[in-house]
Amino acid sequence: MILYPAVDILDGQAVRLVQGDFAAPTVYGDDPLGAALAWVEAGARALHVVDLDGARAGAPRNLDAVRRICAEARVPVQVGGGLRAAADVDAAFEAGAARVVVGTAAYEDSPMLADVLARHGERIAVAVDVRDGRVSAAGWTRDTGLEPLAAIAELQDRGVRALVYTNVDRDGMLEGPDPAEARRVAEAVDGALVWSGGIGELAHLEALARLPLEGVIVGKALYEGRFTVAEAHAALA
């Protein structure tokens, strides 16, 4: 199972949000590249990079930072945030992304999703960001009205084979995922599933390691030193 340390970029800094709230970011570093390289030096074998400025604006704003991270980190980098046009997805791949995560466009622009899936296949993942029990979009600000399992079934029918699932209500809270929710989602996915949201201790990773997940995204717990990358790898193993 893959550990994805998170590098979220907002206003040129490495930050973490709590429950998707842009108004109160916690800044962990002035240089996202430095944060990314620190995780790799600590043993990370992959990274999850989110352009929060892009998610808020609806178009990428930090592709130069993504390009630098991909070039210098030398590990697979999963990239998301504001990628709502096929040209922007292509630009993220050109910047070095190993996988691109599409969110809003997957729910609001079916032809765009079909296009990028046809050309990039399993290198495209779709974000299923859940707030108040429903899938949200547009930087977690718009309720799509979709129930998560129904959304997952529809996405898979459309050819999606990789998903990144985030419980936004738990994100940044460090209180752990809902075990029942995690199991329901894992059992519903036929393909690669990456879990995100609420990881606060090694026991949370050990519980997720029992599920058929491809990987887990961890942000705040790593930045705050609740465990190390090596300890996380051991828990996921």
Side-chain angles (χ1 to χ4, degrees):
M1 192 176 294
I2 301 168
L3 172 73
Y4 289 92
V7 181
D8 292 354
I9 306 172
L10 183 67
D11 297 329
Q13 300 173 307
V15 308
R16 291 299 292 166
L17 305 183
V18 174
Q19 296 178 319
D21 183 3
F22 283 92
T26 300
V27 177
Y28 287 105
D30 292 333
D31 180 14
L33 174 61
L37 295 180
W39 297 134
V40 173
E41 290 167 5
R45 299 187 284 267
L47 296 169
H48 179 74
V49 176
V50 179
D51 179 355
L52 290 175
D53 296 296
R56 184 163 53 181
R61 292 291 183 267
N62 289 291
L63 282 179
D64 285 344
V66 169
R67 186 174 292 106
R68 291 168 60 214
I69 290 170
C70 292
E72 299 193 35
R74 300 184 183 279
V75 298
V77 179
Q78 180 172 269
V79 176
L83 301 170
R84 301 179 196 174
D88 293 332
V89 170
D90 294 342
F93 280 123
E94 290 165 4
R99 175 187 281 163
V100 166
V101 183
V102 176
T104 303
Y107 305 100
E108 300 181 356
D109 190 345
S110 294
M112 179 273 193
L113 180 62
D115 176 24
V116 296
L117 285 173
R119 293 187 294 110
H120 300 293
E122 294 184 5
R123 296 180 71 197
I124 297 292
V126 171
V128 181
D129 297 328
V130 178
R131 172 172 265 165
D132 294 329
R134 293 186 300 274
V135 178
S136 63
W140 313 290
T141 63
R142 188 155 64 239
D143 183 352
T144 67
L146 295 170
E147 187 273 334
L149 295 185
I152 289 169
E154 179 182 341
L155 290 167
Q156 293 188 138
D157 286 344
R158 293 161 62 190
V160 175
R161 291 294 173 262
L163 296 166
V164 177
Y165 187 99
T166 304
N167 184 315
V168 180
D169 297 314
R170 291 176 178 264
D171 198 39
M173 301 302 288
L174 301 172
E175 296 173 356
D178 177 341
E181 177 188 26
R183 183 164 296 280
R184 284 196 306 272
V185 173
E187 291 174 350
V189 173
D190 181 15
L193 174 61
V194 178
W195 191 270
S196 175
I199 307 301
E201 57 188 67
L202 291 173
H204 300 153
L205 294 177
E206 291 166 355
L208 290 173
R210 302 185 184 101
L211 301 176
L213 305 177
E214 179 199 86
V216 179
I217 296 167
V218 181
K220 189 174 183 178
L222 283 171
Y223 283 102
E224 297 196 351
R226 294 197 168 213
F227 48 79
T228 66
V229 169
E231 288 169 337
H233 284 155
L236 292 173

